[in-house]
Amino acid sequence: RRTKMKYIKKHIGKLRKVERLKNSLNGNPRFLLAMVDENQNFQLFRTAVDCGLAYSVENYLNRDQVVAVEIGQHYGKPTLKSINEI
């Protein structure tokens, strides 16, 4: 049974990897990430278990590229819902 993500907010900034988390049981990567805005404020969040976004996140990490992400609450933890180039 899948649960819906709640309280989704859009954030704009640069994506930074904080930590590589343990892979899912199916072997898919997981990350703890930070979105850093122009004022150097940051929002911590993680990729969901067995989510294809974990693979595309690596294309945006530690680059000087500004992206837009949607972050919501999934099982009480801030979780990446979408990522797009600006």
Side-chain angles (χ1 to χ4, degrees):
R1 181 177 133 197
R2 297 185 104 179
T3 61
K4 291 187 178 182
M5 202 172 288
K6 301 176 183 177
Y7 313 114
I8 298 168
K9 291 185 181 179
K10 185 176 185 177
H11 298 269
I12 296 174
K14 295 178 183 175
L15 198 60
R16 300 290 183 249
K17 179 172 72 172
V18 176
E19 179 183 358
R20 169 84 186 245
L21 301 173
K22 184 178 174 185
N23 285 358
S24 71
L25 291 176
N26 294 320
N28 293 313
R30 298 195 58 220
F31 297 98
L32 179 61
L33 304 164
M35 173 59 70
V36 182
D37 69 16
E38 60 190 16
N39 298 320
Q40 300 305 310
N41 297 317
F42 65 92
Q43 170 70 42
L44 290 175
F45 57 98
R46 63 190 66 225
T47 54
V49 175
D50 293 329
C51 180
L53 281 174
Y55 290 98
S56 61
V57 156
E58 293 180 296
N59 297 324
Y60 303 102
L61 289 176
N62 301 320
R63 291 176 47 193
D64 239 8
Q65 182 176 1
V66 176
V67 296
V69 298
E70 287 183 314
I71 302 169
Q73 291 289 318
H74 190 250
Y75 289 103
K77 297 186 179 184
T79 305
L80 178 65
K81 182 179 187 301
S82 70
I83 184 169
N84 294 295
E85 292 182 35
I86 292 188

